Amino acid sequence: MELGVIGLGRMGRIVVDRLLAADHSVVAYDVSAEATAAAAELGASPADSVGDLCDRLAEPKRIWLMVPAGDPVDETLAELEPHLGDEDVVVDGGNSHFEASLRRAEETDAAYLDCGTSGGPAGAELGFSLMVGGPAWAYEALAPAFDAVATGPEGHDRMGESGSGHYVKMIHNGVEYALMQAYGEGFELLHEGRYDLDLEAVARTWNNGAVIRSWLLELCEEAFREEGSDLGDVADHVAGGSTGTWTVQESLEQEVPLPLIYTALSERFGSRADARFSRRLANRLRYGFGRHEVARRDS
Amino acid sequence: MELGVIGLGRMGRIVVDRLLAADHSVVAYDVSAEATAAAAELGASPADSVGDLCDRLAEPKRIWLMVPAGDPVDETLAELEPHLGDEDVVVDGGNSHFEASLRRAEETDAAYLDCGTSGGPAGAELGFSLMVGGPAWAYEALAPAFDAVATGPEGHDRMGESGSGHYVKMIHNGVEYALMQAYGEGFELLHEGRYDLDLEAVARTWNNGAVIRSWLLELCEEAFREEGSDLGDVADHVAGGSTGTWTVQESLEQEVPLPLIYTALSERFGSRADARFSRRLANRLRYGFGRHEVARRDS
Amino acid sequence: MELGVIGLGRMGRIVVDRLLAADHSVVAYDVSAEATAAAAELGASPADSVGDLCDRLAEPKRIWLMVPAGDPVDETLAELEPHLGDEDVVVDGGNSHFEASLRRAEETDAAYLDCGTSGGPAGAELGFSLMVGGPAWAYEALAPAFDAVATGPEGHDRMGESGSGHYVKMIHNGVEYALMQAYGEGFELLHEGRYDLDLEAVARTWNNGAVIRSWLLELCEEAFREEGSDLGDVADHVAGGSTGTWTVQESLEQEVPLPLIYTALSERFGSRADARFSRRLANRLRYGFGRHEVARRDS
Amino acid sequence: MELGVIGLGRMGRIVVDRLLAADHSVVAYDVSAEATAAAAELGASPADSVGDLCDRLAEPKRIWLMVPAGDPVDETLAELEPHLGDEDVVVDGGNSHFEASLRRAEETDAAYLDCGTSGGPAGAELGFSLMVGGPAWAYEALAPAFDAVATGPEGHDRMGESGSGHYVKMIHNGVEYALMQAYGEGFELLHEGRYDLDLEAVARTWNNGAVIRSWLLELCEEAFREEGSDLGDVADHVAGGSTGTWTVQESLEQEVPLPLIYTALSERFGSRADARFSRRLANRLRYGFGRHEVARRDS
């Protein structure tokens, strides 16, 4: 089938590549002419603009957005709008908030599929996991494209109504934070503990048959192989956090306790704080009730 | 090579089976004559007693214990002691506390390998992950047996000195608790949240290419397939906890924070408590300062 | 000075009472004629309507709202609006969200003071703690009234610009949740632990000189005195949670970790859930990897 | 009555002072001759040694130990032993582990009272909170002394059998950690949040009538008054932790979840760690699955 792909960054490029490899034809556009040209080299037909991309696509149009979540999605949809009818399908493959996807599904004339995408750079070879929300007919219509971009037919599914794809992806990411922190705690105790261990060997042994084996643990193994058992000069600063924050916000609405996911998110916040005020106060209070010496910053 | 295997429960039987399948010869003994007979049917040479098992083994002896952690290990070692010399090797494949293993390594004349074993029933086909502590020469001497019982040469490794095998296994289990709780939180939010989702389909989609794919997530998929998206009549009572408790105890000694592992352990405790006293007090305190109505138990 | 008080529930009545006791004059109104009449018996001048209350007040008007947070505040402000000028002052003494107070401060012609009120029923005798946000001149103008309603001049202060009073009160409540849970944990361990203890005696001993003495601990002492050391038929169901939820939401915006406040909030959610899905899944997963028996609900 | 006091550090000196102020007579001894001399200046009769102290005391002997927990208690008891009979009473007013107190109660010929002491330096004027475990007759015999050292008759009580005094004190301290952290979180959010607040004014307003008023909050107020709203050069390093660790260890035995107390303890550990390994691994993993840039330490 023929697809338009808008947004040709790291992830968009993989989408194009996998569609082409499965013998679909692709019209590609990115705000960067360079990125568009690179897609053309892969075999896509390059477009000059969103309008040009629409003109080049046969009816009904199938358009895959792989642009950054937030304003870029709305801006692209605004440009697309004059060209879209109700038989067209737009897929948002980015990390949009599910409520934004719900709103866009209502505002767009075309059928709108929100598509949570997981798998990272490894997806280039293996394919992604795609969690799709929106009208069933539109999902069915795009199935051949999803087969190509995902790991295969098992790697994508329609979760439910509009928003559900990004909803499931949001929670996937919340779980991801907690898994990373869980492995981190285990390796921290191994690292600080009683034995001098080769953490790559530990991770490798675990990845071969142990209950906690996983892809993230394979990435731990890789990290120890590349950085050493003490992680070399890797700093203790963890960036990111938006999808985790969304997950916790949703859990507050639903009154569902997420102690591990919350704590994992909160470890990220803590890793970015300079000197935790709560700890400074605790330090000072110990003087208040116990006349324990107050640790002071070097002047 | 030839091995004695003592302890022929579910796990011990798998060990025997995998050793025989790799053309090792096995002398097997269990306190239950029935279990010993069952091993004989698999192809092992049955022994009547620990002493008989030792008599049947060629020198130097290689003996694999797969008996329950705690007193049974000490009792078996006491029976073995008169038969062991310093060229013999004993493997403890159970879930012993690493400090018990350290003590036993010192008390036993034979070389003593503490061997953390992970993989559960699935290990019957795939082989286990084996984390081994103890003398390097003894580990090398047993390597062919470890190759057979583990998933292969990658599935076992010598972690370090005595105790380190069970130490790494203990922390493995701590991480396992946290991973289970992390997936549980995600699925709980999906289950209580805005969409009516097929959780088996979610888990399957994730297992195909998503960042959080893992063996435990495959078990979630299986659970939803077998029990349904709402887990049917599965109760909210989580048994177990000893290795998690050991992990937290060790982290207190090492002053390493394990918030996720602690919380996961603590959820198990909470799942077994009748009516949490802290919540009952909070309920009552809200009356104290706000005259909010006190919820009372049905009389 | 003269004040209008709108909203004569439990808290509003205390406000009227304390103002009258300090020789201020009060015009009182409540949607319930009965409540208005009760205030008249205390010595207030009763009004028939918001408009009537405004007519009876001398210029410039000082009006204290003690109506439930949310729509009732907006509805009352809408009724007040035609009667208010920029020399008038409105105090919102309820538990409004600080962002609503910010909006109202902008929308109201009168000066608007958001006033967090803490102290509960005990405030009737002792006076409240009042955290006030809004224009300094308006705060100064109301100081005599605040002196009367608070514990005295030390019991109220201007926190800062509009919204800051309710902001500080919101966080006060977040801390309150955590303190309740902290005491609850201590008493739970004492209750489940090694000794058979008289928890009222423990609380009384602590309240006399111990580091953790507090008003909440006095309420614990009272609770054990009235309900017994095992809290009798008090259920483990904790209601409430909105201000705690707001506190956590704000902390997510500010990227400030609040592990204790979050956990205390989350214990409330947990106390209201029927059977935690995460625990049901953990129970089932233990079968998956270890063939541990699955606890089932009674059929 | 007459008491021997052994251990004349900061706390022991307060004990002597309060006993003398209540017209008890005191024989005092410390390993430091200087400390003994200082007690003599307060009005105590100085002793040269433990034996000398025993010789100077009338029968039956009442001896109050205020020496550091651990070996010093055992060493002092060993010196006391030849001088003690079963009508004598020894009070251990330090922070001993309850299991050590249990053991000592069994090993000592004299009646042994384990006495948890809380209140810190403020106890000099107000008196302490004393939680006492051990034989009822011995507790009764010492009541006049407890009246003097505590805030009065309400400030001490017999919790139960041997060990229960230190058991209750241990859990008191666990709660104390959580309360400090709870206030710390609230003030951290106030400090990092939307308004520029005078935290001393916030604490003072809360201490006057708010639900969360407490002695620890008075210490917060004092801290902000003395250090400023941003706590000046107070560092984020929190020392201590042994009684909190014991509390968590006991909760693991009892299978009682203490999420707040655990987290508060764990924040102390975290405040002392250089660069948390778990965060370094999370930072690196984000590269693994998302090619996010890895933050590196400055070289």
Side-chain angles (χ1 to χ4, degrees):
Chain A
M1 61 186 294
E2 187 192 60
L3 284 105
V5 177
I6 301 177
L8 303 167
R10 195 165 45 72
M11 293 290 279
R13 185 109 51 114
I14 298 176
V15 168
V16 169
D17 213 22
R18 291 189 64 86
L19 287 169
L20 293 170
D23 290 325
H24 298 296
S25 64
V26 173
V27 182
Y29 171 71
D30 191 277
V31 288
S32 145
E34 208 174 342
T36 309
E41 270 174 51
L42 295 173
S45 157
D48 288 345
S49 66
V50 167
D52 182 35
L53 176 136
C54 290
D55 291 345
R56 287 164 181 268
L57 287 173
E59 299 295 331
K61 303 186 192 76
R62 281 80 180 86
I63 298 172
W64 193 302
L65 308 187
M66 215 65 188
V67 302
D71 292 345
V73 178
D74 285 314
E75 288 158 17
T76 309
L77 286 174
E79 289 184 70
L80 280 170
E81 197 175 23
H83 307 277
L84 295 180
D86 60 9
E87 299 194 349
D88 299 327
V89 179
V90 174
V91 178
D92 174 9
N95 245 340
S96 298
H97 193 282
F98 73 95
E99 287 177 325
S101 296
L102 260 172
R103 172 179 57 75
R104 287 164 189 153
E106 281 181 22
E107 290 173 2
T108 309
D109 287 334
Y112 195 82
L113 297 173
D114 51 287
C115 173
T117 306
S118 181
E125 282 182 38
L126 298 173
F128 294 114
S129 167
L130 301 177
M131 304 141 243
V132 187
W137 72 262
Y139 170 73
E140 297 303 335
L142 270 283
F146 290 141
D147 285 350
V149 175
T151 58
E154 301 271 277
H156 62 92
D157 210 341
R158 179 177 173 264
M159 303 288 110
E161 300 301 315
S162 285
S164 61
H166 283 142
Y167 192 79
V168 172
K169 175 54 163 50
M170 169 184 83
I171 294 171
H172 168 279
N173 284 23
V175 173
E176 177 189 296
Y177 288 30
L179 299 185
M180 286 164 69
Q181 171 70 17
Y183 286 118
E185 289 181 8
F187 284 113
E188 181 165 328
L189 184 52
L190 289 170
H191 185 260
E192 309 293 332
R194 305 204 183 202
Y195 295 91
D196 184 27
L197 298 160
D198 174 344
L199 296 187
E200 184 200 346
V202 171
R204 183 178 54 240
T205 306
W206 285 351
N207 273 322
N208 285 277
V211 169
I212 65 172
R213 65 187 181 269
S214 71
W215 189 55
L216 277 168
L217 188 57
E218 290 170 33
L219 295 178
C220 293
E221 187 182 335
E222 178 187 279
F224 293 124
R225 184 165 54 247
E226 293 178 2
E227 309 279 354
S229 261
D230 67 350
L231 290 177
D233 65 350
V234 174
D236 63 338
H237 182 281
V238 194
S242 56
T243 46
T245 294
W246 298 346
T247 304
V248 175
Q249 284 168 336
E250 171 63 4
S251 76
L252 293 173
E253 297 277 329
Q254 303 295 336
E255 305 203 343
V256 170
L258 300 182
L260 270 64
I261 293 174
Y262 175 81
T263 303
L265 173 63
S266 152
E267 280 290 306
R268 293 197 180 190
F269 295 159
S271 82
R272 275 123 68 163
D274 213 31
R276 297 282 311 285
F277 198 75
S278 52
R279 292 171 178 177
R280 296 173 64 214
L281 183 57
N283 171 13
R284 185 52 171 71
L285 286 177
R286 295 185 77 247
Y287 172 80
F289 64 72
R291 294 292 176 263
H292 300 285
E293 201 188 346
V294 180
R296 301 278 174 180
R297 287 166 172 173
D298 300 334
S299 50
Chain B
M1 60 185 296
E2 187 192 58
L3 284 103
V5 178
I6 301 177
L8 303 168
R10 194 166 46 70
M11 294 290 280
R13 187 113 46 119
I14 299 176
V15 169
V16 170
D17 214 21
R18 292 189 64 86
L19 288 169
L20 292 170
D23 290 326
H24 298 296
S25 63
V26 173
V27 183
Y29 170 71
D30 192 276
V31 286
S32 146
E34 210 175 340
T36 308
E41 270 173 52
L42 296 172
S45 159
D48 289 343
S49 66
V50 167
D52 182 35
L53 177 134
C54 289
D55 290 345
R56 287 163 182 267
L57 287 172
E59 299 296 329
K61 306 187 192 76
R62 279 80 179 85
I63 299 172
W64 192 302
L65 307 187
M66 215 65 186
V67 301
D71 292 345
V73 178
D74 285 315
E75 288 157 17
T76 309
L77 288 173
E79 289 185 70
L80 280 170
E81 198 176 21
H83 306 276
L84 295 180
D86 59 9
E87 299 195 349
D88 299 325
V89 180
V90 174
V91 178
D92 174 8
N95 246 340
S96 299
H97 193 284
F98 73 94
E99 286 177 326
S101 296
L102 258 172
R103 172 180 56 75
R104 288 165 189 152
E106 281 181 21
E107 291 172 3
T108 309
D109 287 335
Y112 195 81
L113 295 175
D114 51 287
C115 171
T117 306
S118 182
E125 281 182 41
L126 297 173
F128 294 114
S129 167
L130 302 177
M131 303 141 242
V132 187
W137 73 263
Y139 171 73
E140 298 302 336
L142 272 282
F146 291 140
D147 285 349
V149 176
T151 58
E154 301 271 277
H156 62 92
D157 210 341
R158 180 177 174 264
M159 303 288 109
E161 299 302 315
S162 284
S164 62
H166 284 142
Y167 192 79
V168 171
K169 175 55 164 51
M170 170 184 83
I171 294 172
H172 168 280
N173 283 23
V175 173
E176 178 189 293
Y177 288 30
L179 300 184
M180 287 165 67
Q181 171 69 16
Y183 287 118
E185 289 182 8
F187 283 114
E188 181 164 328
L189 184 52
L190 289 169
H191 184 260
E192 309 293 332
R194 307 203 181 203
Y195 294 92
D196 185 26
L197 298 162
D198 174 344
L199 296 188
E200 186 199 345
V202 171
R204 185 179 51 242
T205 307
W206 285 350
N207 274 322
N208 284 278
V211 169
I212 66 172
R213 66 187 180 269
S214 70
W215 189 56
L216 278 167
L217 188 56
E218 289 170 34
L219 295 178
C220 292
E221 187 183 335
E222 179 188 277
F224 293 125
R225 182 164 58 246
E226 295 178 0
E227 308 279 354
S229 261
D230 67 352
L231 289 178
D233 65 350
V234 174
D236 62 337
H237 182 281
V238 194
S242 55
T243 45
T245 294
W246 298 346
T247 305
V248 174
Q249 283 168 336
E250 170 64 4
S251 75
L252 293 172
E253 297 276 328
Q254 302 296 337
E255 304 204 343
V256 170
L258 300 182
L260 271 64
I261 293 173
Y262 176 81
T263 303
L265 173 64
S266 149
E267 281 290 305
R268 294 198 179 190
F269 294 159
S271 82
R272 277 126 64 163
D274 213 32
R276 298 281 311 283
F277 198 76
S278 53
R279 292 171 178 176
R280 297 173 63 214
L281 182 58
N283 172 13
R284 184 52 173 70
L285 286 177
R286 295 184 76 249
Y287 171 79
F289 63 72
R291 293 294 175 261
H292 301 285
E293 201 187 347
V294 180
R296 301 276 175 182
R297 287 167 173 172
D298 300 333
S299 50
Chain C
M1 61 185 296
E2 189 191 59
L3 284 106
V5 176
I6 301 176
L8 302 167
R10 194 164 48 70
M11 293 291 278
R13 185 107 53 111
I14 299 176
V15 168
V16 169
D17 214 21
R18 292 189 63 86
L19 288 169
L20 292 170
D23 289 326
H24 298 296
S25 63
V26 172
V27 183
Y29 170 72
D30 192 277
V31 288
S32 147
E34 208 175 342
T36 308
E41 269 174 51
L42 295 172
S45 160
D48 288 344
S49 66
V50 167
D52 182 35
L53 176 135
C54 290
D55 291 345
R56 287 163 182 268
L57 287 173
E59 300 293 332
K61 304 187 194 75
R62 278 81 179 86
I63 298 172
W64 193 302
L65 308 186
M66 215 66 187
V67 302
D71 293 345
V73 178
D74 285 315
E75 288 157 17
T76 308
L77 287 174
E79 289 184 70
L80 279 171
E81 197 176 22
H83 307 277
L84 294 180
D86 60 9
E87 299 195 348
D88 299 326
V89 179
V90 174
V91 178
D92 173 8
N95 246 342
S96 299
H97 194 283
F98 73 95
E99 285 177 326
S101 296
L102 259 172
R103 172 181 56 73
R104 288 164 189 153
E106 281 182 22
E107 290 172 4
T108 309
D109 286 335
Y112 194 83
L113 296 174
D114 51 287
C115 173
T117 305
S118 181
E125 281 182 39
L126 297 173
F128 293 114
S129 168
L130 301 177
M131 304 141 243
V132 187
W137 72 262
Y139 171 73
E140 297 303 334
L142 270 284
F146 290 141
D147 285 349
V149 175
T151 58
E154 302 271 278
H156 63 92
D157 211 341
R158 179 176 174 265
M159 304 287 109
E161 300 302 316
S162 284
S164 61
H166 284 142
Y167 191 79
V168 171
K169 175 55 165 48
M170 169 184 84
I171 294 171
H172 167 279
N173 284 23
V175 173
E176 178 189 294
Y177 289 30
L179 299 184
M180 287 165 68
Q181 171 69 18
Y183 287 117
E185 290 181 8
F187 283 113
E188 181 164 328
L189 184 52
L190 289 170
H191 185 260
E192 310 293 331
R194 306 204 182 201
Y195 294 92
D196 185 27
L197 298 162
D198 175 343
L199 297 187
E200 184 201 346
V202 171
R204 184 178 52 241
T205 307
W206 284 351
N207 274 321
N208 285 276
V211 169
I212 66 172
R213 64 187 182 270
S214 71
W215 190 55
L216 277 167
L217 188 57
E218 291 171 32
L219 296 177
C220 292
E221 188 183 333
E222 180 187 277
F224 293 125
R225 185 166 53 246
E226 295 178 1
E227 309 279 354
S229 261
D230 67 350
L231 289 179
D233 66 349
V234 174
D236 63 337
H237 183 280
V238 194
S242 56
T243 45
T245 295
W246 298 346
T247 304
V248 175
Q249 284 167 336
E250 170 64 4
S251 76
L252 293 172
E253 297 277 329
Q254 303 297 336
E255 305 203 343
V256 169
L258 300 183
L260 271 64
I261 293 174
Y262 175 81
T263 303
L265 173 64
S266 151
E267 280 289 305
R268 294 197 180 191
F269 295 160
S271 82
R272 277 125 64 164
D274 214 31
R276 299 281 311 283
F277 197 75
S278 53
R279 292 170 179 177
R280 297 173 64 214
L281 183 57
N283 172 12
R284 185 52 171 71
L285 286 177
R286 295 183 77 247
Y287 172 79
F289 63 73
R291 293 294 176 260
H292 300 286
E293 201 189 346
V294 180
R296 301 278 175 180
R297 288 165 172 174
D298 299 333
S299 51
Chain D
M1 61 185 296
E2 188 191 58
L3 285 105
V5 177
I6 301 176
L8 303 167
R10 195 164 45 70
M11 293 291 278
R13 185 111 51 115
I14 298 177
V15 169
V16 169
D17 213 21
R18 291 189 64 85
L19 287 170
L20 292 171
D23 290 327
H24 297 296
S25 62
V26 173
V27 182
Y29 171 71
D30 193 278
V31 288
S32 145
E34 209 175 341
T36 308
E41 270 173 52
L42 295 172
S45 159
D48 289 345
S49 66
V50 167
D52 182 35
L53 177 136
C54 289
D55 291 344
R56 287 163 181 268
L57 288 173
E59 299 297 328
K61 304 187 193 76
R62 280 82 179 83
I63 299 172
W64 193 302
L65 308 187
M66 215 66 188
V67 301
D71 293 345
V73 177
D74 284 315
E75 288 157 16
T76 309
L77 287 173
E79 290 184 69
L80 280 170
E81 198 176 22
H83 306 277
L84 294 180
D86 60 10
E87 300 194 350
D88 299 325
V89 179
V90 174
V91 178
D92 174 8
N95 247 340
S96 298
H97 193 283
F98 73 95
E99 286 178 324
S101 296
L102 259 172
R103 172 180 55 74
R104 288 164 189 155
E106 281 181 22
E107 292 171 1
T108 309
D109 288 332
Y112 195 82
L113 296 174
D114 51 288
C115 173
T117 305
S118 181
E125 281 182 39
L126 297 173
F128 294 113
S129 168
L130 302 177
M131 302 140 243
V132 187
W137 72 263
Y139 170 73
E140 297 304 335
L142 270 284
F146 290 142
D147 285 350
V149 175
T151 59
E154 301 270 278
H156 62 92
D157 210 341
R158 179 175 173 265
M159 303 289 109
E161 299 301 315
S162 284
S164 61
H166 284 141
Y167 192 78
V168 172
K169 175 54 165 50
M170 170 185 83
I171 294 172
H172 167 281
N173 284 24
V175 174
E176 178 189 293
Y177 289 29
L179 299 185
M180 287 165 67
Q181 171 70 15
Y183 287 118
E185 289 181 9
F187 284 113
E188 181 164 327
L189 184 53
L190 289 169
H191 184 259
E192 309 294 331
R194 305 203 183 203
Y195 295 92
D196 184 26
L197 298 161
D198 174 343
L199 295 188
E200 185 201 345
V202 171
R204 185 178 51 240
T205 306
W206 285 351
N207 273 322
N208 284 277
V211 169
I212 65 172
R213 65 187 180 269
S214 71
W215 189 56
L216 278 168
L217 188 57
E218 290 170 33
L219 295 178
C220 292
E221 187 182 335
E222 179 186 277
F224 292 126
R225 183 164 56 247
E226 295 178 0
E227 309 279 353
S229 262
D230 67 350
L231 289 178
D233 65 350
V234 174
D236 63 338
H237 183 280
V238 194
S242 56
T243 46
T245 294
W246 297 345
T247 304
V248 174
Q249 283 167 335
E250 170 64 5
S251 76
L252 294 172
E253 297 276 328
Q254 303 295 336
E255 304 204 345
V256 169
L258 300 182
L260 271 65
I261 293 174
Y262 176 81
T263 304
L265 173 64
S266 148
E267 280 290 306
R268 293 197 182 191
F269 295 159
S271 82
R272 276 126 63 165
D274 213 30
R276 297 282 310 284
F277 198 75
S278 53
R279 293 172 177 174
R280 296 173 64 213
L281 182 57
N283 171 14
R284 183 54 172 70
L285 286 177
R286 296 184 75 248
Y287 172 79
F289 63 73
R291 294 292 175 262
H292 301 285
E293 200 189 347
V294 180
R296 300 279 175 180
R297 287 166 173 173
D298 300 334
S299 49

